[in-house]
Amino acid sequence: MATIPDTAERSTLASLFGEEPFSHCSRAVADRLEAIATVLTLSAGETLAGKGDGDRLVFITRGSAKLVSCTAPHGSTPIGSEGENRHILAFQFPGDIVSIPSQRAGGAYLVALGELDLVAFDAREFLDAAEGDPALLRGVLVRSLDTIQRNRKRMMRLGHRSARQRIAGFLVTMAERIAGCTEGPCEFALPMGRGDIGDSLGLTIETVSRQFTELRNEGLVTTKGRALVHLSDIDRLRHEAGP
Amino acid sequence: MATIPDTAERSTLASLFGEEPFSHCSRAVADRLEAIATVLTLSAGETLAGKGDGDRLVFITRGSAKLVSCTAPHGSTPIGSEGENRHILAFQFPGDIVSIPSQRAGGAYLVALGELDLVAFDAREFLDAAEGDPALLRGVLVRSLDTIQRNRKRMMRLGHRSARQRIAGFLVTMAERIAGCTEGPCEFALPMGRGDIGDSLGLTIETVSRQFTELRNEGLVTTKGRALVHLSDIDRLRHEAGP
DNA sequence: CGATCAATTGACTTAGCTCAAAGCATGTGG
DNA sequence: CCACATGCTTTGAGCTAAGTCAATTGATCG
């Protein structure tokens, strides 16, 4: 668990207030939120776990992270160690709102995939403050409904899709989320390794690698180094991913 | 798509206002909600699809339903026909709040598994009305955060679990949701068939059936007829389901 | 009491997992 | 700047859980 850095807090928080759910935020509520906000910068591998008592609401402002289910790191496992429970629930990017349940309630933790800025709230405190600003509350609600939507799609992929379809779908999603690209060719750097991709898709490292190789042979994907990916035609990939 | 019945509307809606997210609802907001609510009773097999324009928010008040992803029933397929796209996203029970995206936005539809009472709103209208009552908004938000939590667990199951673990987990969940039973022995009727179970878990009918047989042979489960299930020891089952 | 549809069981196939061995990047110290 | 060490990634060779196809049994209902 990282400690609170004493630099750049105000600016990060200010940037948050320019963004979607906060943009119309009333001054009084903004002040109150500022008082209870925890601004953090994590570097690669550092983690933010759920608290013992209440849920957390986390707003990602820069970088990317993986949300990992913590099955049973009951003290013994020094959280973050790549031990047993490799279950990646989601990848998160700037603008995302992540709710991290308390350790009691199932538990999960966020792991930075690189430099990561975020603003964390205690869920109860946040909601108490936000009740003073229904528009804010509504904004957060709409976003969480979107998240539910997104997760539904994901579930379909996990349940009824072949390895190839999962990888194709994953690449399309990453193109959209990392490069903001929805059609034509595009290039971007994957912040996560093959292992993490596999864990998030319910595949093994080897299967992920084999699928990459296949897509490469078919000219749909080019890679440069570990991370750099070039998609020659997103629409064709999307078609591969299935409906 | 069912039509609006003209019986028992008021009583169903009134019951809704006694329940969780509505209990502290102010009179003015309650009136406004009542004005925009659509109260429906569906019978087995009838469906409620997403609208063309905006999302729906549906509150289940009685019975059970399956939420089905509608991949591409573009007119041709007479919605609800057990055609191709068998992808069950979730089973829903009384007290659940379901958001059904518009047909544009991916689409999904609710299918009654038996007699089903529900109250449906246009999401935008509902949110507009609810902004007058932050406590209500908060209630709905908290529930949708819970749903996200629940879905995360489900995703883990779909991605990284064996058929046996999925079925065991499924039975435990159903015991909790249908019978309200979290430990010891319990008995209940499954409202869905083996096919639906398989579709929701990413397994085939045959695999579901084989797993039931195995659990039966090991004395963990007893069945009577198609639907009746008796779990001799939920905790043992939960242990089978894995963490 | 058949007719019908769901569930079960069996035989066989296969996608993806496991185990194991190279190949490449990336970083470090000489 | 190069050599080596470490940790990803790729590739290969079986193996297994789950899918497919097909036939049988069992429930439900007119």
PDB file of all heavy atoms in Angstrom, chain C residues 10-23:
ATOM      1  P    DG C  10     -23.608 -44.508 -19.362  1.00  0.00           P
ATOM      2  OP1  DG C  10     -23.717 -45.929 -18.986  1.00  0.00           O
ATOM      3  OP2  DG C  10     -22.742 -43.604 -18.583  1.00  0.00           O
ATOM      4  O5'  DG C  10     -23.170 -44.432 -20.896  1.00  0.00           O
ATOM      5  C5'  DG C  10     -24.002 -45.013 -21.888  1.00  0.00           C
ATOM      6  C4'  DG C  10     -23.373 -44.865 -23.275  1.00  0.00           C
ATOM      7  O4'  DG C  10     -23.678 -43.553 -23.807  1.00  0.00           O
ATOM      8  C3'  DG C  10     -21.846 -44.998 -23.295  1.00  0.00           C
ATOM      9  O3'  DG C  10     -21.479 -45.856 -24.369  1.00  0.00           O
ATOM     10  C2'  DG C  10     -21.368 -43.570 -23.542  1.00  0.00           C
ATOM     11  C1'  DG C  10     -22.513 -42.984 -24.356  1.00  0.00           C
ATOM     12  N9   DG C  10     -22.661 -41.543 -24.261  1.00  0.00           N
ATOM     13  C8   DG C  10     -22.744 -40.780 -23.118  1.00  0.00           C
ATOM     14  N7   DG C  10     -22.894 -39.503 -23.362  1.00  0.00           N
ATOM     15  C5   DG C  10     -22.903 -39.412 -24.749  1.00  0.00           C
ATOM     16  C6   DG C  10     -23.044 -38.289 -25.593  1.00  0.00           C
ATOM     17  O6   DG C  10     -23.186 -37.112 -25.275  1.00  0.00           O
ATOM     18  N1   DG C  10     -23.001 -38.644 -26.937  1.00  0.00           N
ATOM     19  C2   DG C  10     -22.853 -39.921 -27.406  1.00  0.00           C
ATOM     20  N2   DG C  10     -22.829 -40.077 -28.729  1.00  0.00           N
ATOM     21  N3   DG C  10     -22.728 -40.988 -26.630  1.00  0.00           N
ATOM     22  C4   DG C  10     -22.764 -40.658 -25.323  1.00  0.00           C
ATOM     23  P    DA C  11     -19.988 -46.320 -24.599  1.00  0.00           P
ATOM     24  OP1  DA C  11     -20.018 -47.763 -24.913  1.00  0.00           O
ATOM     25  OP2  DA C  11     -19.143 -45.810 -23.491  1.00  0.00           O
ATOM     26  O5'  DA C  11     -19.594 -45.529 -25.925  1.00  0.00           O
ATOM     27  C5'  DA C  11     -20.427 -45.600 -27.084  1.00  0.00           C
ATOM     28  C4'  DA C  11     -19.788 -44.827 -28.220  1.00  0.00           C
ATOM     29  O4'  DA C  11     -20.029 -43.411 -28.022  1.00  0.00           O
ATOM     30  C3'  DA C  11     -18.267 -44.983 -28.319  1.00  0.00           C
ATOM     31  O3'  DA C  11     -17.911 -44.980 -29.698  1.00  0.00           O
ATOM     32  C2'  DA C  11     -17.741 -43.756 -27.586  1.00  0.00           C
ATOM     33  C1'  DA C  11     -18.797 -42.709 -27.950  1.00  0.00           C
ATOM     34  N9   DA C  11     -18.981 -41.646 -26.970  1.00  0.00           N
ATOM     35  C8   DA C  11     -18.922 -41.737 -25.603  1.00  0.00           C
ATOM     36  N7   DA C  11     -19.150 -40.603 -24.978  1.00  0.00           N
ATOM     37  C5   DA C  11     -19.371 -39.698 -26.012  1.00  0.00           C
ATOM     38  C6   DA C  11     -19.668 -38.336 -26.020  1.00  0.00           C
ATOM     39  N6   DA C  11     -19.806 -37.602 -24.915  1.00  0.00           N
ATOM     40  N1   DA C  11     -19.828 -37.735 -27.223  1.00  0.00           N
ATOM     41  C2   DA C  11     -19.697 -38.472 -28.336  1.00  0.00           C
ATOM     42  N3   DA C  11     -19.419 -39.769 -28.454  1.00  0.00           N
ATOM     43  C4   DA C  11     -19.274 -40.328 -27.237  1.00  0.00           C
ATOM     44  P    DC C  12     -16.385 -45.087 -30.154  1.00  0.00           P
ATOM     45  OP1  DC C  12     -16.374 -45.851 -31.416  1.00  0.00           O
ATOM     46  OP2  DC C  12     -15.545 -45.497 -29.011  1.00  0.00           O
ATOM     47  O5'  DC C  12     -16.030 -43.576 -30.530  1.00  0.00           O
ATOM     48  C5'  DC C  12     -16.817 -42.911 -31.520  1.00  0.00           C
ATOM     49  C4'  DC C  12     -16.405 -41.469 -31.591  1.00  0.00           C
ATOM     50  O4'  DC C  12     -16.780 -40.778 -30.392  1.00  0.00           O
ATOM     51  C3'  DC C  12     -14.895 -41.234 -31.779  1.00  0.00           C
ATOM     52  O3'  DC C  12     -14.718 -40.457 -32.950  1.00  0.00           O
ATOM     53  C2'  DC C  12     -14.491 -40.508 -30.500  1.00  0.00           C
ATOM     54  C1'  DC C  12     -15.786 -39.816 -30.102  1.00  0.00           C
ATOM     55  N1   DC C  12     -15.922 -39.416 -28.684  1.00  0.00           N
ATOM     56  C2   DC C  12     -16.308 -38.108 -28.399  1.00  0.00           C
ATOM     57  O2   DC C  12     -16.535 -37.334 -29.339  1.00  0.00           O
ATOM     58  N3   DC C  12     -16.450 -37.725 -27.114  1.00  0.00           N
ATOM     59  C4   DC C  12     -16.214 -38.589 -26.128  1.00  0.00           C
ATOM     60  N4   DC C  12     -16.363 -38.154 -24.891  1.00  0.00           N
ATOM     61  C5   DC C  12     -15.802 -39.918 -26.391  1.00  0.00           C
ATOM     62  C6   DC C  12     -15.670 -40.299 -27.670  1.00  0.00           C
ATOM     63  P    DT C  13     -13.254 -40.000 -33.450  1.00  0.00           P
ATOM     64  OP1  DT C  13     -13.161 -40.169 -34.908  1.00  0.00           O
ATOM     65  OP2  DT C  13     -12.248 -40.629 -32.546  1.00  0.00           O
ATOM     66  O5'  DT C  13     -13.316 -38.437 -33.170  1.00  0.00           O
ATOM     67  C5'  DT C  13     -14.527 -37.735 -33.479  1.00  0.00           C
ATOM     68  C4'  DT C  13     -14.331 -36.244 -33.238  1.00  0.00           C
ATOM     69  O4'  DT C  13     -14.505 -35.952 -31.826  1.00  0.00           O
ATOM     70  C3'  DT C  13     -12.961 -35.701 -33.625  1.00  0.00           C
ATOM     71  O3'  DT C  13     -13.151 -34.429 -34.249  1.00  0.00           O
ATOM     72  C2'  DT C  13     -12.220 -35.589 -32.289  1.00  0.00           C
ATOM     73  C1'  DT C  13     -13.361 -35.290 -31.313  1.00  0.00           C
ATOM     74  N1   DT C  13     -13.189 -35.811 -29.923  1.00  0.00           N
ATOM     75  C2   DT C  13     -13.501 -34.985 -28.872  1.00  0.00           C
ATOM     76  O2   DT C  13     -13.885 -33.840 -29.003  1.00  0.00           O
ATOM     77  N3   DT C  13     -13.354 -35.571 -27.631  1.00  0.00           N
ATOM     78  C4   DT C  13     -12.926 -36.849 -27.361  1.00  0.00           C
ATOM     79  O4   DT C  13     -12.841 -37.251 -26.204  1.00  0.00           O
ATOM     80  C5   DT C  13     -12.605 -37.659 -28.513  1.00  0.00           C
ATOM     81  C7   DT C  13     -12.114 -39.058 -28.325  1.00  0.00           C
ATOM     82  C6   DT C  13     -12.752 -37.106 -29.717  1.00  0.00           C
ATOM     83  P    DT C  14     -11.910 -33.537 -34.712  1.00  0.00           P
ATOM     84  OP1  DT C  14     -12.354 -32.764 -35.888  1.00  0.00           O
ATOM     85  OP2  DT C  14     -10.717 -34.423 -34.762  1.00  0.00           O
ATOM     86  O5'  DT C  14     -11.706 -32.505 -33.525  1.00  0.00           O
ATOM     87  C5'  DT C  14     -12.784 -31.660 -33.141  1.00  0.00           C
ATOM     88  C4'  DT C  14     -12.310 -30.712 -32.057  1.00  0.00           C
ATOM     89  O4'  DT C  14     -12.196 -31.448 -30.803  1.00  0.00           O
ATOM     90  C3'  DT C  14     -10.921 -30.119 -32.300  1.00  0.00           C
ATOM     91  O3'  DT C  14     -10.926 -28.802 -31.805  1.00  0.00           O
ATOM     92  C2'  DT C  14     -10.011 -30.972 -31.448  1.00  0.00           C
ATOM     93  C1'  DT C  14     -10.923 -31.233 -30.256  1.00  0.00           C
ATOM     94  N1   DT C  14     -10.582 -32.418 -29.434  1.00  0.00           N
ATOM     95  C2   DT C  14     -10.846 -32.391 -28.099  1.00  0.00           C
ATOM     96  O2   DT C  14     -11.349 -31.433 -27.544  1.00  0.00           O
ATOM     97  N3   DT C  14     -10.512 -33.531 -27.415  1.00  0.00           N
ATOM     98  C4   DT C  14      -9.946 -34.671 -27.947  1.00  0.00           C
ATOM     99  O4   DT C  14      -9.698 -35.618 -27.232  1.00  0.00           O
ATOM    100  C5   DT C  14      -9.693 -34.637 -29.372  1.00  0.00           C
ATOM    101  C7   DT C  14      -9.076 -35.814 -30.041  1.00  0.00           C
ATOM    102  C6   DT C  14     -10.013 -33.528 -30.033  1.00  0.00           C
ATOM    103  P    DA C  15     -10.388 -27.583 -32.705  1.00  0.00           P
ATOM    104  OP1  DA C  15     -11.319 -27.352 -33.818  1.00  0.00           O
ATOM    105  OP2  DA C  15      -8.952 -27.849 -32.983  1.00  0.00           O
ATOM    106  O5'  DA C  15     -10.497 -26.350 -31.697  1.00  0.00           O
ATOM    107  C5'  DA C  15     -11.692 -26.191 -30.939  1.00  0.00           C
ATOM    108  C4'  DA C  15     -11.377 -25.799 -29.507  1.00  0.00           C
ATOM    109  O4'  DA C  15     -10.872 -26.934 -28.756  1.00  0.00           O
ATOM    110  C3'  DA C  15     -10.329 -24.705 -29.371  1.00  0.00           C
ATOM    111  O3'  DA C  15     -10.737 -23.861 -28.308  1.00  0.00           O
ATOM    112  C2'  DA C  15      -9.047 -25.477 -29.055  1.00  0.00           C
ATOM    113  C1'  DA C  15      -9.559 -26.672 -28.269  1.00  0.00           C
ATOM    114  N9   DA C  15      -8.815 -27.922 -28.452  1.00  0.00           N
ATOM    115  C8   DA C  15      -8.224 -28.377 -29.599  1.00  0.00           C
ATOM    116  N7   DA C  15      -7.667 -29.566 -29.478  1.00  0.00           N
ATOM    117  C5   DA C  15      -7.913 -29.912 -28.160  1.00  0.00           C
ATOM    118  C6   DA C  15      -7.582 -31.052 -27.412  1.00  0.00           C
ATOM    119  N6   DA C  15      -6.910 -32.105 -27.896  1.00  0.00           N
ATOM    120  N1   DA C  15      -7.978 -31.090 -26.120  1.00  0.00           N
ATOM    121  C2   DA C  15      -8.653 -30.050 -25.624  1.00  0.00           C
ATOM    122  N3   DA C  15      -9.041 -28.918 -26.238  1.00  0.00           N
ATOM    123  C4   DA C  15      -8.623 -28.916 -27.520  1.00  0.00           C
ATOM    124  P    DG C  16     -10.005 -22.498 -28.015  1.00  0.00           P
ATOM    125  OP1  DG C  16     -11.032 -21.526 -27.594  1.00  0.00           O
ATOM    126  OP2  DG C  16      -9.106 -22.190 -29.138  1.00  0.00           O
ATOM    127  O5'  DG C  16      -9.136 -22.856 -26.730  1.00  0.00           O
ATOM    128  C5'  DG C  16      -9.809 -23.350 -25.594  1.00  0.00           C
ATOM    129  C4'  DG C  16      -8.830 -24.035 -24.656  1.00  0.00           C
ATOM    130  O4'  DG C  16      -8.308 -25.234 -25.259  1.00  0.00           O
ATOM    131  C3'  DG C  16      -7.606 -23.186 -24.275  1.00  0.00           C
ATOM    132  O3'  DG C  16      -7.485 -23.284 -22.881  1.00  0.00           O
ATOM    133  C2'  DG C  16      -6.466 -23.883 -25.021  1.00  0.00           C
ATOM    134  C1'  DG C  16      -6.932 -25.316 -24.966  1.00  0.00           C
ATOM    135  N9   DG C  16      -6.318 -26.245 -25.901  1.00  0.00           N
ATOM    136  C8   DG C  16      -6.031 -26.034 -27.226  1.00  0.00           C
ATOM    137  N7   DG C  16      -5.476 -27.078 -27.797  1.00  0.00           N
ATOM    138  C5   DG C  16      -5.385 -28.022 -26.789  1.00  0.00           C
ATOM    139  C6   DG C  16      -4.864 -29.341 -26.805  1.00  0.00           C
ATOM    140  O6   DG C  16      -4.366 -29.949 -27.749  1.00  0.00           O
ATOM    141  N1   DG C  16      -4.970 -29.958 -25.562  1.00  0.00           N
ATOM    142  C2   DG C  16      -5.515 -29.369 -24.439  1.00  0.00           C
ATOM    143  N2   DG C  16      -5.537 -30.102 -23.324  1.00  0.00           N
ATOM    144  N3   DG C  16      -6.012 -28.133 -24.414  1.00  0.00           N
ATOM    145  C4   DG C  16      -5.912 -27.522 -25.613  1.00  0.00           C
ATOM    146  P    DC C  17      -6.402 -22.486 -22.042  1.00  0.00           P
ATOM    147  OP1  DC C  17      -7.145 -21.612 -21.128  1.00  0.00           O
ATOM    148  OP2  DC C  17      -5.367 -21.944 -22.931  1.00  0.00           O
ATOM    149  O5'  DC C  17      -5.761 -23.673 -21.158  1.00  0.00           O
ATOM    150  C5'  DC C  17      -6.626 -24.553 -20.433  1.00  0.00           C
ATOM    151  C4'  DC C  17      -5.817 -25.681 -19.804  1.00  0.00           C
ATOM    152  O4'  DC C  17      -5.390 -26.590 -20.853  1.00  0.00           O
ATOM    153  C3'  DC C  17      -4.554 -25.206 -19.092  1.00  0.00           C
ATOM    154  O3'  DC C  17      -4.410 -25.864 -17.839  1.00  0.00           O
ATOM    155  C2'  DC C  17      -3.433 -25.565 -20.051  1.00  0.00           C
ATOM    156  C1'  DC C  17      -3.990 -26.755 -20.807  1.00  0.00           C
ATOM    157  N1   DC C  17      -3.499 -26.823 -22.212  1.00  0.00           N
ATOM    158  C2   DC C  17      -2.852 -27.977 -22.673  1.00  0.00           C
ATOM    159  O2   DC C  17      -2.691 -28.928 -21.896  1.00  0.00           O
ATOM    160  N3   DC C  17      -2.420 -28.027 -23.948  1.00  0.00           N
ATOM    161  C4   DC C  17      -2.609 -26.987 -24.765  1.00  0.00           C
ATOM    162  N4   DC C  17      -2.177 -27.087 -26.024  1.00  0.00           N
ATOM    163  C5   DC C  17      -3.271 -25.794 -24.316  1.00  0.00           C
ATOM    164  C6   DC C  17      -3.694 -25.754 -23.049  1.00  0.00           C
ATOM    165  P    DT C  18      -3.200 -25.468 -16.877  1.00  0.00           P
ATOM    166  OP1  DT C  18      -3.738 -25.554 -15.511  1.00  0.00           O
ATOM    167  OP2  DT C  18      -2.602 -24.222 -17.385  1.00  0.00           O
ATOM    168  O5'  DT C  18      -2.110 -26.622 -17.078  1.00  0.00           O
ATOM    169  C5'  DT C  18      -2.514 -27.954 -17.314  1.00  0.00           C
ATOM    170  C4'  DT C  18      -1.294 -28.851 -17.421  1.00  0.00           C
ATOM    171  O4'  DT C  18      -0.930 -29.021 -18.804  1.00  0.00           O
ATOM    172  C3'  DT C  18      -0.037 -28.314 -16.720  1.00  0.00           C
ATOM    173  O3'  DT C  18       0.608 -29.383 -16.049  1.00  0.00           O
ATOM    174  C2'  DT C  18       0.817 -27.775 -17.850  1.00  0.00           C
ATOM    175  C1'  DT C  18       0.426 -28.676 -19.022  1.00  0.00           C
ATOM    176  N1   DT C  18       0.491 -28.019 -20.355  1.00  0.00           N
ATOM    177  C2   DT C  18       1.035 -28.706 -21.419  1.00  0.00           C
ATOM    178  O2   DT C  18       1.476 -29.825 -21.332  1.00  0.00           O
ATOM    179  N3   DT C  18       1.026 -28.012 -22.597  1.00  0.00           N
ATOM    180  C4   DT C  18       0.549 -26.735 -22.827  1.00  0.00           C
ATOM    181  O4   DT C  18       0.600 -26.226 -23.938  1.00  0.00           O
ATOM    182  C5   DT C  18       0.002 -26.075 -21.672  1.00  0.00           C
ATOM    183  C7   DT C  18      -0.544 -24.682 -21.797  1.00  0.00           C
ATOM    184  C6   DT C  18      -0.007 -26.733 -20.502  1.00  0.00           C
ATOM    185  P    DC C  19       1.850 -29.147 -15.079  1.00  0.00           P
ATOM    186  OP1  DC C  19       1.681 -30.063 -13.939  1.00  0.00           O
ATOM    187  OP2  DC C  19       1.984 -27.696 -14.876  1.00  0.00           O
ATOM    188  O5'  DC C  19       3.086 -29.666 -15.951  1.00  0.00           O
ATOM    189  C5'  DC C  19       2.972 -30.901 -16.668  1.00  0.00           C
ATOM    190  C4'  DC C  19       4.159 -31.082 -17.594  1.00  0.00           C
ATOM    191  O4'  DC C  19       3.950 -30.359 -18.828  1.00  0.00           O
ATOM    192  C3'  DC C  19       5.500 -30.586 -17.028  1.00  0.00           C
ATOM    193  O3'  DC C  19       6.503 -31.507 -17.409  1.00  0.00           O
ATOM    194  C2'  DC C  19       5.662 -29.233 -17.711  1.00  0.00           C
ATOM    195  C1'  DC C  19       5.073 -29.538 -19.083  1.00  0.00           C
ATOM    196  N1   DC C  19       4.613 -28.372 -19.865  1.00  0.00           N
ATOM    197  C2   DC C  19       4.775 -28.383 -21.251  1.00  0.00           C
ATOM    198  O2   DC C  19       5.295 -29.358 -21.787  1.00  0.00           O
ATOM    199  N3   DC C  19       4.350 -27.319 -21.972  1.00  0.00           N
ATOM    200  C4   DC C  19       3.779 -26.283 -21.357  1.00  0.00           C
ATOM    201  N4   DC C  19       3.369 -25.268 -22.108  1.00  0.00           N
ATOM    202  C5   DC C  19       3.609 -26.247 -19.937  1.00  0.00           C
ATOM    203  C6   DC C  19       4.035 -27.305 -19.231  1.00  0.00           C
ATOM    204  P    DA C  20       8.039 -31.313 -16.945  1.00  0.00           P
ATOM    205  OP1  DA C  20       8.540 -32.697 -16.699  1.00  0.00           O
ATOM    206  OP2  DA C  20       8.089 -30.300 -15.869  1.00  0.00           O
ATOM    207  O5'  DA C  20       8.768 -30.750 -18.240  1.00  0.00           O
ATOM    208  C5'  DA C  20       8.654 -31.470 -19.471  1.00  0.00           C
ATOM    209  C4'  DA C  20       9.431 -30.754 -20.554  1.00  0.00           C
ATOM    210  O4'  DA C  20       8.626 -29.700 -21.135  1.00  0.00           O
ATOM    211  C3'  DA C  20      10.722 -30.073 -20.060  1.00  0.00           C
ATOM    212  O3'  DA C  20      11.738 -30.263 -21.029  1.00  0.00           O
ATOM    213  C2'  DA C  20      10.302 -28.618 -19.963  1.00  0.00           C
ATOM    214  C1'  DA C  20       9.400 -28.530 -21.193  1.00  0.00           C
ATOM    215  N9   DA C  20       8.512 -27.376 -21.244  1.00  0.00           N
ATOM    216  C8   DA C  20       7.834 -26.785 -20.214  1.00  0.00           C
ATOM    217  N7   DA C  20       7.120 -25.743 -20.580  1.00  0.00           N
ATOM    218  C5   DA C  20       7.352 -25.646 -21.943  1.00  0.00           C
ATOM    219  C6   DA C  20       6.899 -24.750 -22.926  1.00  0.00           C
ATOM    220  N6   DA C  20       6.073 -23.735 -22.662  1.00  0.00           N
ATOM    221  N1   DA C  20       7.328 -24.936 -24.194  1.00  0.00           N
ATOM    222  C2   DA C  20       8.155 -25.958 -24.450  1.00  0.00           C
ATOM    223  N3   DA C  20       8.652 -26.865 -23.623  1.00  0.00           N
ATOM    224  C4   DA C  20       8.200 -26.643 -22.374  1.00  0.00           C
ATOM    225  P    DA C  21      13.290 -30.016 -20.725  1.00  0.00           P
ATOM    226  OP1  DA C  21      13.914 -31.357 -20.666  1.00  0.00           O
ATOM    227  OP2  DA C  21      13.410 -29.064 -19.592  1.00  0.00           O
ATOM    228  O5'  DA C  21      13.796 -29.294 -22.049  1.00  0.00           O
ATOM    229  C5'  DA C  21      13.315 -29.727 -23.326  1.00  0.00           C
ATOM    230  C4'  DA C  21      13.296 -28.550 -24.269  1.00  0.00           C
ATOM    231  O4'  DA C  21      12.234 -27.646 -23.892  1.00  0.00           O
ATOM    232  C3'  DA C  21      14.586 -27.705 -24.258  1.00  0.00           C
ATOM    233  O3'  DA C  21      14.957 -27.404 -25.592  1.00  0.00           O
ATOM    234  C2'  DA C  21      14.153 -26.452 -23.511  1.00  0.00           C
ATOM    235  C1'  DA C  21      12.722 -26.335 -23.998  1.00  0.00           C
ATOM    236  N9   DA C  21      11.862 -25.436 -23.233  1.00  0.00           N
ATOM    237  C8   DA C  21      11.638 -25.425 -21.874  1.00  0.00           C
ATOM    238  N7   DA C  21      10.805 -24.491 -21.476  1.00  0.00           N
ATOM    239  C5   DA C  21      10.467 -23.843 -22.651  1.00  0.00           C
ATOM    240  C6   DA C  21       9.615 -22.749 -22.919  1.00  0.00           C
ATOM    241  N6   DA C  21       8.939 -22.101 -21.965  1.00  0.00           N
ATOM    242  N1   DA C  21       9.497 -22.350 -24.201  1.00  0.00           N
ATOM    243  C2   DA C  21      10.178 -23.001 -25.150  1.00  0.00           C
ATOM    244  N3   DA C  21      11.002 -24.045 -25.025  1.00  0.00           N
ATOM    245  C4   DA C  21      11.099 -24.420 -23.741  1.00  0.00           C
ATOM    246  P    DA C  22      16.513 -27.334 -25.992  1.00  0.00           P
ATOM    247  OP1  DA C  22      16.526 -27.557 -27.459  1.00  0.00           O
ATOM    248  OP2  DA C  22      17.243 -28.231 -25.077  1.00  0.00           O
ATOM    249  O5'  DA C  22      17.132 -25.912 -25.762  1.00  0.00           O
ATOM    250  C5'  DA C  22      16.486 -24.736 -25.851  1.00  0.00           C
ATOM    251  C4'  DA C  22      15.801 -24.423 -27.166  1.00  0.00           C
ATOM    252  O4'  DA C  22      14.453 -24.066 -26.815  1.00  0.00           O
ATOM    253  C3'  DA C  22      16.389 -23.226 -27.859  1.00  0.00           C
ATOM    254  O3'  DA C  22      16.037 -23.141 -29.235  1.00  0.00           O
ATOM    255  C2'  DA C  22      15.760 -22.091 -27.084  1.00  0.00           C
ATOM    256  C1'  DA C  22      14.376 -22.651 -26.774  1.00  0.00           C
ATOM    257  N9   DA C  22      13.929 -22.270 -25.427  1.00  0.00           N
ATOM    258  C8   DA C  22      14.315 -22.814 -24.226  1.00  0.00           C
ATOM    259  N7   DA C  22      13.727 -22.243 -23.179  1.00  0.00           N
ATOM    260  C5   DA C  22      12.910 -21.270 -23.743  1.00  0.00           C
ATOM    261  C6   DA C  22      12.037 -20.320 -23.181  1.00  0.00           C
ATOM    262  N6   DA C  22      11.836 -20.202 -21.868  1.00  0.00           N
ATOM    263  N1   DA C  22      11.389 -19.500 -24.008  1.00  0.00           N
ATOM    264  C2   DA C  22      11.586 -19.625 -25.332  1.00  0.00           C
ATOM    265  N3   DA C  22      12.376 -20.477 -25.981  1.00  0.00           N
ATOM    266  C4   DA C  22      13.021 -21.278 -25.120  1.00  0.00           C
ATOM    267  P    DG C  23      16.934 -22.152 -30.168  1.00  0.00           P
ATOM    268  OP1  DG C  23      17.118 -22.857 -31.428  1.00  0.00           O
ATOM    269  OP2  DG C  23      18.081 -21.692 -29.364  1.00  0.00           O
ATOM    270  O5'  DG C  23      16.009 -20.884 -30.498  1.00  0.00           O
ATOM    271  C5'  DG C  23      15.275 -20.317 -29.487  1.00  0.00           C
ATOM    272  C4'  DG C  23      14.489 -19.144 -30.001  1.00  0.00           C
ATOM    273  O4'  DG C  23      13.766 -18.636 -28.875  1.00  0.00           O
ATOM    274  C3'  DG C  23      15.327 -17.973 -30.483  1.00  0.00           C
ATOM    275  O3'  DG C  23      14.475 -17.133 -31.252  1.00  0.00           O
ATOM    276  C2'  DG C  23      15.733 -17.341 -29.160  1.00  0.00           C
ATOM    277  C1'  DG C  23      14.464 -17.537 -28.308  1.00  0.00           C
ATOM    278  N9   DG C  23      14.688 -17.853 -26.896  1.00  0.00           N
ATOM    279  C8   DG C  23      15.547 -18.788 -26.374  1.00  0.00           C
ATOM    280  N7   DG C  23      15.506 -18.838 -25.056  1.00  0.00           N
ATOM    281  C5   DG C  23      14.546 -17.885 -24.711  1.00  0.00           C
ATOM    282  C6   DG C  23      14.072 -17.493 -23.436  1.00  0.00           C
ATOM    283  O6   DG C  23      14.403 -17.927 -22.345  1.00  0.00           O
ATOM    284  N1   DG C  23      13.132 -16.492 -23.539  1.00  0.00           N
ATOM    285  C2   DG C  23      12.685 -15.947 -24.719  1.00  0.00           C
ATOM    286  N2   DG C  23      11.770 -14.996 -24.634  1.00  0.00           N
ATOM    287  N3   DG C  23      13.113 -16.305 -25.915  1.00  0.00           N
ATOM    288  C4   DG C  23      14.048 -17.274 -25.832  1.00  0.00           C
TER     289       DG C  23
END
